[in-house]
């Protein structure tokens, strides 16, 4: 059960959040890419054994969407928006 | 019959005698006994029959590591598959053996041993396959078995769960854990100490050691007394930490709660730092017939003698490869056990160790070749590793020790790594992945003096706040040494008898070799192919031997073989404990509207409809069935007026400068061109071109809108909208408020709807010219402030009257009262379904099945050609450009107007048994048409109007005419009236 650091609410249990997938490439302009590139954007997502940037939604809290960096092996959260600079 | 009980000593309370029954016979034991120690005291040998071969099995270990002695508890505290070494003896306990018939002493299932050669590891991958595995499966499942679940739940009591935060969570109350607790608690930090045993002390409960010249248990009792009085310490015994999750969340199951109405209590503890002091478990040696009753782990023999005051036998042979057994000699001899020999596989044994065995025969450089006796050991065969000479020794007990395994389970669950330590021939923790420290035997430190030193050192640097952790006292104890020569398996090449590596699942040395021969060389494959390590004990005493055998056979080191992944639970946990208080309506509460009680009072048949809403299905009159009620409601809507509660619909208010662009992005059609007061029906797609939701959007003023979604998907739409704004267009000014619960509505629909609205009393001009379809007005209805929207999901003239929840019931009752003269009826979801099918309106989950796009449904008019981009456009075009045939929405009229087509029924060419060309999405009795009407998705449907379609049901065909997907008011005149 992850302890996720929400930018507004600080550390809250994973059960308050909804997972929003890893951060892939930015959505390209659909009118400018080929069919292959468009399908790639829809279907290929990062899936590393190690740190990955991913989106979480504080659905049972403040409703904020944010991005953290989590190691998929140790589950350590390496970066979150409310880290001190 | 308690001749095995010693006259004095042990941690049992001889003043409290308990009676219990095992396999129907009554026996006596004492408070403090486990079921195992009581059975041994009463001279019982055979406790169970093994899983596959039905071999007789006795007690092997003294605690959770025991692989053999599963029993079933009966009666009030019934539960299947408990290790009798962990069952606390209670007055009136009833237990029985499992996997045997008619009795554990005479078991017909043992005849399977004649077919041993047919059932090696993995036999079910190669045999019992023709004609079908399912023919054999039931018999095989009965032959191999475990206990059943109890038939009834406990009569009284409930399960509880609690959350806790703590500075230190110390797992294990042995010497290391207790010292760590003292240091942490005295610093003022908040401490949780949990231990799976009935009392604190760990290994000190069975070893006869001294601390500060007194028995070690005196020190243990003084520590327990001190921490009991400290308000910052929570000390739980009979509590197993069974799962170590992310970010130092540990789940502990408290099995003996002080409040007797609580059966078990589950703790979810978030700790700043965990101190893992889980100790070590003795492992077995591998030799032929090492599973016979009377063959026990050496430490278990010592534990039964010292802790439970029971001797499991009288004439003992010990087999070992390490030093630890020599320290037991004094205690066992004093208990009256005759130690006939110590068979030590090592050539050279240190003098300092042999000094404890002065009057004992030590046979070095030798192994046990075989064990004789079926239901109880009667002799062992010793073989010299030098000249292979054998000697048979008569005995009734064989104690063996293959070394000690640090219990790295929780450390591994936390994602920490382990490495093989040659010094103790075992795996020890290497790196921690989380904020945790391993101390004591679980860290590979076995000698008591070293345990204390290590604990003091590691804890002194472990403070979680600025308060230092120190131990100012003195802990004097004798120095102990430990050395071992690993013996994974002897040479069994010509051996006919079985040598077990996993006693629980009947996995033998041959099975491991079979797996390796067949190419399953990875330790995870060997585990799954042989099922070694997959039983209740999770291979606590045997897995290391499997790893050792794999290493030996492949000529590599154990570090290269590695361990299988350690998974929770560490020991079995009851489902009740995992569930906690989440039963029934607590687990998944229903969502209600203010009208729910009115519906129930009216006798409505309630359904769960999308996102846990409780909605009325239909309102049967007394004596009425389903179809009659639905027909009556449909008739009211089509000829008079009906009313339904549309409150569960998802609703959102959007404000900001960029709302128009945003809606244009997420809907397929253009919303930004709407004038205030007007609205449009729209579809939302996902970026891969599939229909996500449908709904309506209305503009309130220049920068303010509200949208309405389906009830079931409102949470998903909310998530979708917020995600796009957060990541793709953070520069856009759009603020979204979820107003699903803030507005309730009663929708009045039917030809008389406008008359009813006027009768309710309103300040709005309700005529069609002033209040057209797809617009809204704000004002008063029946003296209640309301926003009235003209949308129609039934195809009739319809007004959706939105009010605040506190006025909803009053509005509803007024509508029912004033509507009586028009024959008003409340309309349930079944009738709504009929009405929308008649109009060919889509329903998510029926026509929208995850494969159709709006063109297929005939809704190409909603797909804006002007917009350059909106979510889903590119993918829809991409899919359609492939030229493959598409399934399109059509209507179906069964040739026999009184014949119903089951919803979902497939349509095949000419009704033949070939691949389908479509399926029926809906079929309802239409009151206005006086016949069954349906909708379907059919390949090339729009080109086939007037043709015949064949619906194929199991053994017959229903013919139907293909029509346009609308069966009432095709031009939509009524809803625009």
């Amino acid at each position: 059960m992850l302890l996720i650091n929400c930018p507004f609410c600080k550390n809250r249990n994973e059960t308050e959040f909804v997972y929003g997938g890893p951060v892939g490439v930015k959505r390209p302009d659909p009118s400018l890419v080929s069919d292959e590139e468009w399908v790639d954007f829809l279907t290929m997502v990062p899936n590393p054994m190690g740190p990955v940037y991913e989106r979480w939604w504080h659905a049972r809290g403040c409703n904020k969407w944010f991005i953290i960096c989590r190691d998929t092996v140790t589950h350590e959260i390496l970066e979150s928006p409310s880290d001190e600079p | 019959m308690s001749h095995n009980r010693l006259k004095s000593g042990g941690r049992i309370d001889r003043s409290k005698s308990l009676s219990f029954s095992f396999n129907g016979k009554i026996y006596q034991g004492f408070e403090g006994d486990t079921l195992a120690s009581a059975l041994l005291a009463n001279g019982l040998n055979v406790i169970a029959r093994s899983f596959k071969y039905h071999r007789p099995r006795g007690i092997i270990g003294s605690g959770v590591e025991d692989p053999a002695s599963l029993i079933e508890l009966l009666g009030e505290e019934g539960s299947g598959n408990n290790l009798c070494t962990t069952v606390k003896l209670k007055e009136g306990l009833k237990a029985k053996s499992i996997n045997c018939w008619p009795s554990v002493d005479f078991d017909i299932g043992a005849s399977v041993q004649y077919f041993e050669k047919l059932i090696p590891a993995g036999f079910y991958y190669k045999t019992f396959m023709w004609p079908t595995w399912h023919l054999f499966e039931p018999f095989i499942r009965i032959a191999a078995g475990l206990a059943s679940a109890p038939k009834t739940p406990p009569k009284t009591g409930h399960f509880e769960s609690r959350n806790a935060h703590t500075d230190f969570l110390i797992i294990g109350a042995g010497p290391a854990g207790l010292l760590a607790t003292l240091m942490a608690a005295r610093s003022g930090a908040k401490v949780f100490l949990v231990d799976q045993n009935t009392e604190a002390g760990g290994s000190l409960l069975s070893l006869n050691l001294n601390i500060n010249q007194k028995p070690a248990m005196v020190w243990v009792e003084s520590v327990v007394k001190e921490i009991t009085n400290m308000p910052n310490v929570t000390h739980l015994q009979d509590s197993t930490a069974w799962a170590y999750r992310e970010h130092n969340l540990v789940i502990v199951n408290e099995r003996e709660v002080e409040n007797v109405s609580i059966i078990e209590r589950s703790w979810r503890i978030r700790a700043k730092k965990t101190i893992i002091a889980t100790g070590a478990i003795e492992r077995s040696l591998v030799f032929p017939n090492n599973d016979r009753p009377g063959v026990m782990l050496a430490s278990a023999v010592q534990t039964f003698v010292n802790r439970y005051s029971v001797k499991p036998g009288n004439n003992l042979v010990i087999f070992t490869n390490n030093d630890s057994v020599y320290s037991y000699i004094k205690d066992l001899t004093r208990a009256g056990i005759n130690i006939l020999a110590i068979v030590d596989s090592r050539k050279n044994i240190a003098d300092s160790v042999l000094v404890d065995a002065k009057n004992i025969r030590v046979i070095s450089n030798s192994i046990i070749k075989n064990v004789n006796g079926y239901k109880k050991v009667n002799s062992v065969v010793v073989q010299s590793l030098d000249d292979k000479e054998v000697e048979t020794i008569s005995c009734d007990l064989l104690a063996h020790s293959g070394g000690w395994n640090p219990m790295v389970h929780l450390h591994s669950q936390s994602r920490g790594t382990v490495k093989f330590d040659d010094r103790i021939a075992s795996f020890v923790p290497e790196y921690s992945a989380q904020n945790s420290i391993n101390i004591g035997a679980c860290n590979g430190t076995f000698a008591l003096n070293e345990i204390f030193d290590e604990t003091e050192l590691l804890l002194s640097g472990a403070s979680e706040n600025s308060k230092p952790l120190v131990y100012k006292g003195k802990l004097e104890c004798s120095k102990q040494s430990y050395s071992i020569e690993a013996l994974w398996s002897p040479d069994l090449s010509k051996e006919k008898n079985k040598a077990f590596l996993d006693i629980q699942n009947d996995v033998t040395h041959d099975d491991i070799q079979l797996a390796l021969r067949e190419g399953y060389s990875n330790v995870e494959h060997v585990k799954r192919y042989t099922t070694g390590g997959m039983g209740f004990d999770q291979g606590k005493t045997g897995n290391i031997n499997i790893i050792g055998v794999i290493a030996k056979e492949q000529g590599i080191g154990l570090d290269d073989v590695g361990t299988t992944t350690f998974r929770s639970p560490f020991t079995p946990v009851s489902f009740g404990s995992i569930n906690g208080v989440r039963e029934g309506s607590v687990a998944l509460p229903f969502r209600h509207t203010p009208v729910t009680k009115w519906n129930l009072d009216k006798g409505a048949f309630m359904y769960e409809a999308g996102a846990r809403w409780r909605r009325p299905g239909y309102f049967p009159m007394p004596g009425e069935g389903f179809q009659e009620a639905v027909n009556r409601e449909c008739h009211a809507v089509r000829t008079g007026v009906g009313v339904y509660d549309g409150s569960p619909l998802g609703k959102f208010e959007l404000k900001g400068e960029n709302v128009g662009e945003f809606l244009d992005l997420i809907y397929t059609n253009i919303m930004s061109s709407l004038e205030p007061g007007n609205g449009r029906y729209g579809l939302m797609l996902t970026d891969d071109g599939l229909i996500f939701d449908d709904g309506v959007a209305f503009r309130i003023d220049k920068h303010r809108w509200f949208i309405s979604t389906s009830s079931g998907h409102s949470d998903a739409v909310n998530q979708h909208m917020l995600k796009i704004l957060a990541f793709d267009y953070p520069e856009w000014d759009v603020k979204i408020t979820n107003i699903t619960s803030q507005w309730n509505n009663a929708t009045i629909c039917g030809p008389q709807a406008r008359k009813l609205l006027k009768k309710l009393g309103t300040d709005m001009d309700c005529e069609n010219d002033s209040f057209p379809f797809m617009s809204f007005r704000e004002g008063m209805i029946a003296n209640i402030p309301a926003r009235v929207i003209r949308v129609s999901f039934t195809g009739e003239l319809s007004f959706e009257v939105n009010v605040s929840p506190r006025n909803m019931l009053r509005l509803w009752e007024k509508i029912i009262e004033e509507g009586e003269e028009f024959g008003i009826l409340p309309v349930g979801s079944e009738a709504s379904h009929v009405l929308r099918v008649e109009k060919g309106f889509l329903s998510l989950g029926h026509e929208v099945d995850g494969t159709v796009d709006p063109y297929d449904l005939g809704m190409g008019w909603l797909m804006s050609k002007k917009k350059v981009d909106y979510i889903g456009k590119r993918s829809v075009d991409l899919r359609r450009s492939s030229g493959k045939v598409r399934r399109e929405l059509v209507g179906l009229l069964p040739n026999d107007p009184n014949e119903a087509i089951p919803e979902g029924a497939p349509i095949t060419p000419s009704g033949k048994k070939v691949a389908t060309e479509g399926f029926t999405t809906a079929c309802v009795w239409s009151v206005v048409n006086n016949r069954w009407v349906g909708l379907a998705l059919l390949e090339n449907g729009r080109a086939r109007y007037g043709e015949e379609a064949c619906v194929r049901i199991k053994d017959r065909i229903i013919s139907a005419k293909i029509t346009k997907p609308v069966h009432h008011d095709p031009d939509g005149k009524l809803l625009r009236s």
Side-chain angles (χ1 to χ4, degrees):
Chain A
M1 162 107 64
L2 295 174
L3 204 55
I4 299 177
N5 201 345
C6 169
F8 290 131
C9 315
K10 301 294 171 250
N11 278 331
R12 304 297 299 177
N13 269 347
E14 186 182 335
T15 46
E16 293 185 10
F17 297 85
V18 172
Y19 176 59
V23 177
V25 298
K26 195 160 161 45
R27 182 177 187 268
D29 185 339
S31 55
L32 298 177
V33 293
S34 70
D35 282 353
E36 283 80 23
E37 286 168 323
W38 181 248
V39 172
D40 237 30
F41 156 70
L42 288 176
T43 54
M44 301 295 280
V45 288
N47 188 18
M49 194 164 153
V52 71
Y53 285 92
E54 57 189 23
R55 301 185 170 114
W56 286 89
W57 179 40
H58 200 182
R60 294 197 183 91
C62 62
N63 250 350
K64 177 116 180 85
W65 274 102
F66 55 95
I67 294 176
I68 58 168
C69 183
R70 176 182 65 94
D71 186 307
T72 58
V73 176
T74 63
H75 299 293
E76 190 189 341
I77 294 184
L78 304 159
E79 273 175 55
S80 52
S82 46
D83 285 345
E84 256 111 62
Chain B
M1 271 270 253
S2 292
H3 51 263
N4 286 339
R5 180 78 72 182
L6 303 173
K7 287 209 187 64
S8 63
R11 306 289 298 172
I12 54 171
D13 183 353
R14 291 166 205 272
S15 71
K16 297 203 180 89
S17 172
L18 305 169
S19 60
F20 67 98
S21 94
F22 182 64
N23 287 334
K25 282 217 195 97
I26 313 271
Y27 301 95
Q28 300 296 124
F30 293 113
E31 176 84 25
D33 262 331
T34 57
L35 179 57
S37 60
L39 290 171
L40 283 174
N42 282 281
L44 273 88
N45 290 316
V46 181
I47 307 297
R49 288 282 174 153
S50 72
F51 183 67
K52 191 158 87 170
Y53 297 124
H54 288 252
R55 287 163 72 105
R57 292 280 164 76
I59 293 163
I60 293 177
S62 57
V64 301
E65 77 284 0
D66 183 90
S69 64
L70 287 178
I71 50 97
E72 184 177 345
L73 290 173
L74 308 165
E76 289 270 322
E77 302 221 355
S79 101
N81 303 321
N82 291 278
L83 285 175
C84 66
T85 52
T86 58
V87 171
K88 199 172 178 176
L89 192 69
K90 292 193 174 129
E91 173 65 35
L93 184 138
K94 287 198 196 67
K96 82 179 224 291
S97 303
I98 54 180
N99 200 32
C100 53
W101 188 83
S103 77
V104 74
D105 284 313
F106 178 69
D107 176 26
I108 290 188
S111 57
V112 76
Q113 289 173 58
Y114 294 116
F115 305 103
E116 269 168 13
K117 292 240 173 352
L118 288 178
I119 47 172
F123 71 89
Y124 34 81
Y125 297 127
K126 304 169 193 155
T127 57
F128 299 108
M129 282 179 171
W130 186 90
T132 164
W133 158 249
H134 297 292
L135 209 60
F136 304 101
E137 191 184 348
F139 301 105
I140 293 177
R141 285 206 188 279
I142 293 175
L146 298 167
S148 331
K151 299 248 181 332
T152 52
K155 285 209 183 74
T156 56
H158 63 274
F159 292 90
E160 192 188 84
S161 56
R162 278 198 200 171
N163 297 323
H165 291 257
T166 185
D167 293 327
F168 291 96
L169 169 61
I170 301 174
I171 306 171
L178 286 171
L179 177 57
T181 305
L182 274 183
M183 293 174 73
R186 284 177 184 169
S187 80
K190 186 164 174 197
V191 178
F192 260 75
L193 172 63
V194 303
D195 182 277
Q196 70 184 358
N197 248 313
T198 47
E199 49 173 333
S203 57
L204 299 176
L205 288 163
S206 18
L207 296 171
N208 249 341
L209 296 175
N210 283 343
I211 297 176
N212 295 338
Q213 286 94 41
K214 289 211 197 77
M217 285 309 295
V218 170
W219 177 78
V220 170
E221 277 151 20
S222 74
V223 174
V224 170
K225 186 157 172 226
E226 181 181 337
I227 62 177
T228 304
N229 293 324
M230 295 174 92
N232 56 325
V233 179
T234 307
H235 176 200
L236 304 172
Q237 291 294 139
D238 277 306
S239 300
T240 307
W242 58 271
Y244 199 132
R245 303 255 188 262
E246 303 88 2
H247 301 173
N248 270 6
L249 185 94
V250 178
I251 311 181
V252 175
N253 191 25
E254 187 183 354
R255 283 169 278 115
E256 300 281 328
V257 182
E258 77 288 351
N259 180 344
V260 293
S261 71
I262 298 175
I263 302 170
E264 286 177 354
R265 178 185 286 142
S266 176
W267 292 84
R268 287 190 188 85
I269 304 176
R270 187 80 77 176
K272 287 212 186 98
K273 187 179 249 110
T274 63
I275 312 286
I276 305 178
T278 47
I281 280 180
E282 191 169 44
R283 66 231 195 163
S284 51
L285 284 166
V286 181
F287 48 92
N289 287 321
N290 57 347
D291 68 323
R292 294 298 184 207
V295 178
M296 295 177 71
L297 288 170
S299 63
V301 174
Q302 200 225 20
T303 299
F304 283 117
V305 166
N306 280 354
R307 191 171 165 193
Y308 300 103
S309 200
V310 173
K311 53 178 171 147
N314 291 302
N315 297 298
L316 167 68
V317 172
I318 303 179
F319 179 27
T320 184
N321 65 354
N322 65 83
D323 292 347
S324 61
V325 303
Y326 291 87
S327 61
Y328 306 160
I329 294 170
K330 222 189 320 184
D331 296 329
L332 300 183
T333 312
R334 200 183 18 231
I337 297 178
N338 185 12
I339 305 178
L340 298 167
I342 299 182
V343 179
D344 198 319
S345 64
R346 302 173 288 176
K347 215 187 239 175
N348 300 313
I349 308 157
D351 286 331
S352 55
V353 171
L354 286 173
V355 84
D356 287 322
K358 253 192 305 224
N359 300 318
I360 310 287
R361 181 182 170 205
V362 176
I363 313 174
S364 62
N365 201 26
S366 301
I367 55 166
I368 299 287
K369 188 83 180 71
N370 198 8
V371 175
N372 295 316
Y374 181 62
K375 287 205 201 137
K376 176 85 164 132
V377 174
N378 57 41
S379 67
V380 296
V381 177
V382 181
Q383 182 181 54
S384 160
L385 288 169
D386 265 332
D387 52 19
K388 309 289 177 226
E389 287 287 308
V390 295
E391 174 196 349
T392 303
I393 305 179
S394 293
C395 59
D396 65 355
L397 186 61
L398 172 64
H400 61 118
S401 173
W404 289 83
N405 291 336
M407 288 215 249
V408 297
H409 301 65
L410 290 176
H411 167 82
S412 299
Q413 283 187 35
S414 79
R415 291 284 171 271
T417 56
V418 295
K419 67 173 195 290
F420 191 72
D421 185 348
D422 286 305
R423 185 182 53 97
I424 57 170
S426 199
F427 286 93
V428 295
E430 188 186 20
Y431 298 118
S432 291
Q434 301 196 41
N435 192 1
S436 80
I437 300 179
N438 291 285
I439 53 173
C442 75
N443 200 25
T445 309
F446 293 157
L448 186 60
N449 58 317
E450 288 172 28
I451 291 174
F452 283 140
D453 289 339
E454 179 191 68
T455 302
E456 222 183 308
L457 178 66
L458 291 177
L459 263 286
S460 64
S463 177
E464 276 299 317
N465 45 35
S466 50
K467 300 194 196 114
L469 304 183
V470 289
Y471 185 70
K472 294 205 184 92
K474 204 172 37 160
L475 289 165
E476 270 173 24
C477 48
S478 55
K479 293 202 199 323
Q480 304 160 296
S481 71
Y482 176 76
S483 101
I484 176 176
E485 270 176 40
L487 177 69
W488 303 121
S489 63
D491 175 20
L492 295 167
S493 46
K494 295 191 194 71
E495 183 55 58
K496 287 211 188 80
N497 293 301
K498 292 192 183 330
F500 289 89
L501 280 104
D502 180 337
I503 282 176
Q504 167 100 152
N505 278 355
D506 273 348
V507 176
T508 65
H509 188 264
D510 287 344
D511 291 327
I512 306 296
Q513 292 189 309
L514 175 67
L516 291 170
R517 268 203 311 275
E518 305 220 342
Y520 298 101
S521 52
N522 182 296
V523 66
E524 295 278 7
H525 288 154
V526 172
K527 168 184 172 177
R528 283 157 180 78
Y529 191 72
T530 62
T531 74
M534 290 176 73
F536 278 79
D537 62 330
Q538 291 285 289
K540 287 180 174 68
T541 55
N543 271 355
I544 185 87
N545 291 325
I546 294 179
I547 297 170
V549 168
I550 297 174
K552 201 169 138 194
E553 296 283 324
Q554 301 192 309
I556 55 178
L558 275 85
D559 236 351
D560 296 316
V561 176
T563 63
T564 52
T565 306
F566 291 87
R567 296 201 172 89
S568 66
F570 170 64
T571 46
V573 184
S574 64
F575 279 109
S577 158
I578 294 172
N579 207 38
V581 293
R582 290 174 295 179
E583 299 174 85
S585 61
V586 175
L588 288 172
F590 280 116
R591 291 155 94 163
H592 305 275
T593 76
V595 180
T596 297
K597 184 169 183 305
W598 187 95
N599 290 326
L600 289 168
D601 291 341
K602 205 71 164 120
F605 204 90
M606 301 297 273
Y607 292 172
E608 184 204 325
R612 296 296 296 178
W613 284 101
R614 249 182 135 212
R615 303 189 79 172
Y618 55 101
F619 295 80
M621 302 275 269
E624 231 182 12
F626 165 83
Q627 194 63 63
E628 293 136 313
V630 174
N631 290 349
R632 205 168 32 80
E633 291 167 29
C634 291
H635 184 253
V637 174
R638 292 273 185 243
T639 62
V641 67
V643 61
Y644 66 85
D645 175 7
S647 307
L649 281 176
K651 304 167 208 73
F652 297 92
E653 200 165 282
L654 288 84
K655 286 183 253 216
E657 290 197 0
N658 303 107
V659 175
E661 291 151 86
F662 178 60
L663 293 177
D664 283 352
L665 176 70
I666 62 177
Y667 280 104
T668 59
N669 47 347
I670 299 184
M671 299 300 190
S672 54
S673 60
L674 281 169
E675 293 292 323
N678 291 341
R680 278 192 191 122
Y681 174 75
L683 284 177
M684 272 193 220
L685 308 180
T686 53
D687 235 344
D688 56 9
L690 300 175
I691 298 177
F692 177 41
D693 201 56
D694 70 330
V696 291
F698 279 85
R699 190 172 200 159
I700 301 175
D701 66 32
K702 185 163 184 226
H703 292 136
R704 202 165 151 222
W705 306 65
F706 69 85
I707 68 168
S708 184
T709 72
S710 68
S711 328
H713 289 143
S714 70
D715 294 327
V717 171
N718 190 16
Q719 181 179 343
H720 175 71
M721 293 194 295
L722 289 173
K723 193 176 184 186
I724 294 168
L725 289 168
F727 300 120
D728 297 322
Y729 295 94
E731 70 276 12
W732 274 357
D733 174 30
V734 177
K735 291 169 191 57
I736 302 179
T737 314
N738 187 339
I739 51 170
T740 301
S741 301
Q742 277 66 32
W743 285 97
N744 292 167
N745 76 66
T747 304
I748 51 183
C749 46
Q752 310 293 327
R754 186 174 281 116
K755 288 203 188 117
L756 173 56
L757 204 62
K758 287 183 189 160
K759 189 172 178 221
L760 286 166
T762 174
D763 56 353
M764 295 179 224
D765 183 346
C766 304
E767 294 310 319
N768 199 14
D769 298 327
S770 352
F771 190 175
F773 181 60
M774 274 303 176
S775 67
F776 75 92
R777 299 287 177 265
E778 283 167 330
M780 305 291 277
I781 301 281
N783 284 320
I784 299 169
R787 180 187 280 164
V788 183
I789 310 170
R790 274 195 70 178
V791 286
S792 179
F793 297 114
T794 57
E796 296 298 323
L797 170 65
S798 162
F799 295 90
E800 187 187 278
V801 184
N802 286 270
V803 297
S804 83
R806 63 181 178 277
N807 293 322
M808 176 65 183
L809 184 59
R810 186 155 59 94
L811 172 73
W812 182 270
E813 287 171 335
K814 204 78 176 121
I815 290 172
I816 296 287
E817 190 190 319
E818 301 293 343
E820 208 188 310
E821 89 171 70
F822 306 107
I824 195 167
L825 287 180
V827 175
S829 58
E830 291 288 353
S832 298
H833 177 60
V834 172
L835 298 169
R836 73 101 190 152
V837 170
E838 285 173 337
K839 288 292 296 183
F841 290 160
L842 68 85
S843 164
L844 297 162
H846 285 254
E847 289 72 38
V848 179
D849 66 346
T851 63
V852 292
D853 66 31
Y855 293 106
D856 300 329
L857 299 177
M859 295 175 117
W861 54 273
L862 273 173
M863 307 287 278
S864 164
K865 312 265 181 310
K866 283 204 198 124
K867 289 198 281 190
V868 173
D869 179 34
Y870 54 86
I871 293 179
K873 175 181 167 124
R874 182 76 165 85
S875 297
V876 170
D877 291 339
L878 203 156
R879 252 198 215 94
R880 296 193 80 84
S881 68
S882 72
K884 287 207 197 94
V885 68
R886 303 288 307 174
R887 288 187 176 183
E888 293 164 348
L889 184 66
V890 297
L892 280 184
L893 293 177
N895 286 353
D896 175 359
N898 292 310
E899 188 169 22
I901 306 172
E903 287 183 356
I907 302 170
T908 63
S910 308
K912 293 203 204 93
K913 192 178 173 183
V914 295
T916 64
E917 54 176 356
F919 69 99
T920 316
T921 64
C923 186
V924 294
W925 176 262
S926 166
V927 176
V928 293
N929 289 300
N930 200 31
R931 51 134 54 243
W932 288 91
V933 303
L935 296 171
L937 286 170
L938 188 63
E939 284 175 6
N940 276 327
R942 286 201 279 273
R944 295 164 66 172
Y945 292 148
E947 289 172 25
E948 194 165 88
C950 298
V951 177
R952 190 187 163 82
I953 328 255
K954 231 177 186 182
D955 47 5
R956 61 192 176 94
I957 298 167
I958 303 176
S959 302
K961 196 166 85 168
I962 305 170
T963 68
K964 281 199 181 153
V966 63
H967 304 291
H968 178 65
D969 184 25
D971 299 321
K973 290 204 190 83
L974 292 169
L975 42 80
R976 287 187 173 75
S977 61

